[in-house]
Amino acid sequence: MAGKPKLHYFNGRGRMEAIRWILAAAGVEFEEIFIKTPEDLDKLRNEGSLMFQQVPMVEIDGMKLVQTRAILNYIATKYNLYGKDMKERALIDMYTEGVVDLGEMIMHLPLCPPDQKDAKMTQIKESVTNRYLPAFEKVLKGHGQDYLVGSKLSKADIHLVELLYYVEELDPSLLANFPLLKALRTRVSNLPAVKKFLQPGSPRKPPMDEKNLEEAKKIFRM
């Protein structure tokens, strides 16, 4: 029997959080091996565990996978969260890439120089309310189904719901005009495996604070 997937990353959200989310939604228990120092990262590099010298890295099914999208796609395929055919996968990929675009903006906000942060926040809020969330709301309204693609939970739903939580952390009012997205978040959040992940004490990581940011900068020599 294969062991639990092993996740190699620092103890923060970053690019590993979407992987934690999709494993949790699939009901898969995993082990986290935290990178705490630059030397920990060097060790992984020197032993040949990181194909492109970077994390996240996930040990799963005898492989050491890197590159976030590759990891997510493998997990989604393995646990039937990637549609039933090529057309559904294309839609799932398209929606996921939209989530990633907005998610990257939010993820990089803590790295923004203080004198640029207000302008960056304004830009993000504009993108949330006028570009990305209206597009996803329109998808759900257009087909009237419970999930984004094929009336079945997919990685696109999981990634979008993760993003909605981040949007709410920025400003809860940003979700006010998107009832179908709020309903999707509730629907996915109430799935037993996801509900467990959302409880205190789970592997889900909190928003990045100054201490977390400094730790990441030290590890990755930023």
Side-chain angles (χ1 to χ4, degrees):
M1 183 177 175
K4 296 178 183 177
K6 294 180 180 179
L7 280 53
H8 296 262
Y9 204 62
F10 82 104
N11 189 11
R13 282 182 181 172
R15 298 187 184 280
M16 186 64 89
E17 192 70 357
I19 297 167
R20 298 182 184 109
W21 264 85
I22 197 169
L23 284 169
V28 179
E29 293 186 2
F30 54 85
E31 178 183 348
E32 296 202 78
I33 301 171
F34 293 125
I35 297 168
K36 298 178 181 178
T37 66
E39 291 72 29
D40 289 343
L41 184 57
D42 289 340
K43 182 175 183 294
L44 286 173
R45 288 170 172 160
N46 293 335
E47 67 188 22
S49 295
L50 305 179
M51 184 175 185
F52 302 113
Q53 309 298 313
Q54 62 193 26
V55 288
M57 188 268 280
V58 174
E59 295 184 63
I60 185 170
D61 295 340
M63 298 181 290
K64 293 182 177 180
L65 293 180
V66 295
Q67 298 298 106
T68 307
R69 286 174 177 80
I71 296 166
L72 291 168
N73 290 347
Y74 180 80
I75 294 166
T77 302
K78 181 178 173 74
Y79 295 103
N80 199 24
L81 294 166
Y82 210 175
K84 70 177 187 298
D85 56 31
M86 287 176 62
K87 286 186 176 181
E88 287 196 355
R89 285 192 292 276
L91 291 174
I92 289 167
D93 285 341
M94 183 169 68
Y95 300 154
T96 297
E97 290 302 313
V99 169
V100 169
D101 286 349
L102 180 56
E104 291 271 328
M105 294 172 67
I106 295 172
M107 184 169 68
H108 290 143
L109 185 61
L111 300 173
C112 192
D115 61 332
Q116 299 175 24
K117 193 157 283 188
D118 286 348
K120 191 68 175 177
M121 179 68 84
T122 299
Q123 180 189 1
I124 290 172
K125 288 183 176 181
E126 173 81 10
S127 295
V128 166
T129 55
N130 295 332
R131 185 176 179 185
Y132 290 99
L133 295 199
F136 290 120
E137 184 83 1
K138 184 178 179 181
V139 171
L140 292 170
K141 186 175 183 180
H143 59 46
Q145 297 171 343
D146 286 346
Y147 298 107
L148 287 169
V149 179
S151 195
K152 183 178 183 296
L153 182 71
S154 75
K155 71 191 290 285
D157 301 296
I158 297 163
H159 298 326
L160 178 55
V161 168
E162 178 191 357
L163 178 69
L164 293 176
Y165 276 101
Y166 299 159
V167 168
E168 185 178 52
E169 289 170 359
L170 288 179
D171 182 348
S173 71
L174 295 174
L175 299 178
N177 295 323
F178 304 102
L180 298 180
L181 290 179
K182 290 195 290 185
L184 176 68
R185 186 184 65 171
T186 299
R187 189 176 300 115
V188 173
S189 298
N190 283 331
L191 296 171
V194 178
K195 194 170 188 176
K196 181 180 178 183
F197 184 64
L198 293 172
Q199 297 305 308
S202 84
R204 182 177 175 231
K205 302 298 181 271
M208 182 173 279
D209 56 18
E210 282 299 321
K211 180 181 176 183
N212 206 227
L213 180 59
E214 289 307 311
E215 179 187 2
K217 286 181 175 178
K218 177 184 171 186
I219 292 168
F220 299 114
R221 298 183 174 98
M222 297 164 64

